[in-house]
Amino acid sequence: MEKIFKEPGLTTEGIVFSVEVDSVEREFLILKSALTYLCKLQGFTMDFMNTYRACEARIHSVARRLAAGAPRGAPLVLNTACFT
């Protein structure tokens, strides 16, 4: 059976997205400040959603590492420090 994940969505704080970690769908929030930092690393200006898409593999990798051992519940937050 194919799992269905919610599409990433822009909020006032950043982008909410989900990733499967250890066979469980986990929710995350990447803050706008982290997206701004990642955009600067790309070397050109993009909106938040395009930055998320351009850096999606890196963001998901960091999210999986953050989720390892973290309690389930509210979305885990990815801030700028997660990418430095």
Side-chain angles (χ1 to χ4, degrees), residues 5-11 14-20 26-32 34-40 42 44-64 78 83:
F5 294 97
K6 293 186 283 188
E7 283 294 313
L10 185 63
T11 69
I15 293 181
V16 176
F17 64 97
S18 62
V19 175
E20 185 174 339
R26 300 288 302 264
E27 288 200 355
F28 299 88
L29 168 67
I30 181 166
L31 298 177
K32 288 181 177 178
L35 290 164
T36 299
Y37 174 78
L38 291 172
C39 186
K40 287 180 183 176
Q42 295 294 315
F44 49 91
T45 304
M46 294 181 278
D47 65 23
F48 293 120
M49 188 57 75
N50 284 329
T51 300
Y52 171 83
R53 292 290 187 201
C55 302
E56 191 169 8
R58 182 175 182 184
I59 292 167
H60 285 203
S61 175
V62 169
R64 283 185 181 91
L78 283 71
F83 299 94

